[in-house]
Each structure stands twice: as structure tokens, then as C-alpha cells.
């Protein structure tokens, strides 16, 4: 009995500080000490080390966009990193293929924002989980947000 109580008390702080990820969260902010330029450089170097293609590098606004990355069970996604003083804001879009309504076998490719929606193991949920894992590469202090401006 005493062991169980002690174990529960040891786990209590972990559960108290774990942030619930909001439904439809589409931005992940990594809190990290450094200037926008220093964080921009860190992101660029880490992506290069991981072998992730950089599709666009904006040295004036400290923004980076990756090339398409294959996400198991979800298709392809790309991520955008907005480096600001003391934070890296990460968002992404996933490729969504649609059959032509005329049934001609043609497909069109659209992109949709990666959000925390869907059921477990659905393509949308897997895309968000992959973005969350990518975010953890840059720091441990993560904040999940819903932004209507990034859809």
C-alpha cells in the first residue's frame, strides 16, 4: 500500500505539468534560448544533418521550409520553421490526393494544414505525430497552439 502511494506521489508532478494538446492544434512552439539568427542556423544545420531537403531558406525573416518528407501511413508532408528570438514555431502541410469527381481516374494534389485531428492511426493524426516528433529534435519545451491564420 505504501509503495503504491509513494509511486503515485512520484508521478504526480509529471502529470500536472504535461500539456494537453488542443484539438485542431496546428502550430508547435519550441521555447529555446537564442536569437532568431542563432536558432535559424541551428534549424538549418540539424535539418542538413538529418538529410532533410531544404526547399526554401529566407535569411531575412529567418524562415525555413523543407522539401517533401515521407511520413509512414500518412503520405508526404513538409514543415515550416519560423525562427524568432527564444522560440521556433513549427507548422506543416500534408499532401492530400483526391479522385476526380468525374471518375476519370485523374487525381489532383492539394495540401492541407497538419492539425491534431482524426482518430488514432488516421493519416491526419499520424502527420501531426510526425510533426511533434520533428519538434522534439529542437527542444523539450513544447507549446501546442491553434491558429486560424495558418490553415
Amino acid at each position: 500500500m505504501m509503495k503504491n502511494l509513494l509511486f503515485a506521489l512520484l508521478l504526480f508532478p509529471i502529470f500536472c505539468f504535461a500539456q494537453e494538446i488542443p484539438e485542431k492544434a496546428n502550430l508547435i512552439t519550441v521555447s529555446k534560448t537564442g536569437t532568431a539568427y542563432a536558432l535559424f542556423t541551428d534549424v538549418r544545420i540539424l535539418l542538413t544533418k538529418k538529410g532533410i531537403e531544404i526547399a526554401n531558406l529566407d535569411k531575412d525573416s529567418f524562415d525555413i521550409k523543407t522539401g517533401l518528407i515521407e511520413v509512414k501511413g500518412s503520405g508526404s508532408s513538409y514543415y515550416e520553421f519560423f525562427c524568432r528570438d527564444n522560440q521556433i514555431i513549427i507548422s506543416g502541410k500534408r499532401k492530400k490526393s483526391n479522385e476526380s469527381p468525374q471518375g476519370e481516374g485523374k487525381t489532383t494534389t492539394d495540401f492541407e494544414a497538419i492539425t491534431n485531428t482524426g482518430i488514432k492511426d488516421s493519416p491526419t493524426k499520424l502527420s501531426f505525430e510526425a510533426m511533434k516528433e520533428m519538434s522534439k529534435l529542437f527542444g523539450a519545451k513544447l507549446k501546442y497552439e491553434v491558429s486560424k491564420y495558418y490553415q
Side-chain angles (χ1 to χ4, degrees), residues 54-79:
I54 296 174
N56 191 15
L57 209 67
D58 188 333
K59 294 178 182 177
D60 296 325
S61 61
F62 305 118
D63 298 339
I64 298 173
K65 179 180 172 183
T66 70
L68 288 176
I69 300 168
E70 196 63 31
V71 177
K72 187 178 178 186
S74 173
S76 300
S77 300
Y78 68 84
Y79 304 108

Side-chain angles (χ1 to χ4, degrees), residues 25-86:
N26 56 356
L27 296 176
I28 300 174
T29 301
V30 180
S31 296
K32 191 169 181 169
T33 305
T35 64
Y37 177 76
L39 296 177
F40 174 79
T41 303
D42 290 349
V43 170
R44 186 174 49 87
I45 290 170
L46 187 65
L47 291 174
T48 303
K49 280 184 180 178
K50 291 286 185 184
I52 297 171
E53 174 195 359
I54 296 174
N56 191 15
L57 209 67
D58 188 333
K59 294 178 182 177
D60 296 325
S61 61
F62 305 118
D63 298 339
I64 298 173
K65 179 180 172 183
T66 70
L68 288 176
I69 300 168
E70 196 63 31
V71 177
K72 187 178 178 186
S74 173
S76 300
S77 300
Y78 68 84
Y79 304 108
E80 294 178 281
F81 300 86
F82 308 99
C83 301
R84 305 296 177 255
D85 288 344
N86 301 316

Side-chain angles (χ1 to χ4, degrees), residues 26-27 93 113 146-151:
N26 56 356
L27 296 176
K93 296 218 175 186
V146 179
S147 171
K148 65 181 180 180
Y149 299 108
Y150 190 79
Q151 298 294 327

Side-chain angles (χ1 to χ4, degrees), residues 59-125:
K59 294 178 182 177
D60 296 325
S61 61
F62 305 118
D63 298 339
I64 298 173
K65 179 180 172 183
T66 70
L68 288 176
I69 300 168
E70 196 63 31
V71 177
K72 187 178 178 186
S74 173
S76 300
S77 300
Y78 68 84
Y79 304 108
E80 294 178 281
F81 300 86
F82 308 99
C83 301
R84 305 296 177 255
D85 288 344
N86 301 316
Q87 64 183 7
I88 303 166
I89 303 165
I90 304 168
S91 64
K93 296 218 175 186
R94 72 178 206 91
K95 197 185 246 189
K96 177 175 93 169
S97 294
N98 299 318
E99 276 296 319
S100 175
Q102 289 82 17
E104 300 166 1
K106 295 180 182 176
T107 58
T108 59
T109 303
D110 295 325
F111 285 91
E112 67 180 351
I114 295 174
T115 58
N116 183 37
T117 57
I119 57 173
K120 183 181 178 197
D121 295 335
S122 70
T124 53
K125 187 62 97 175

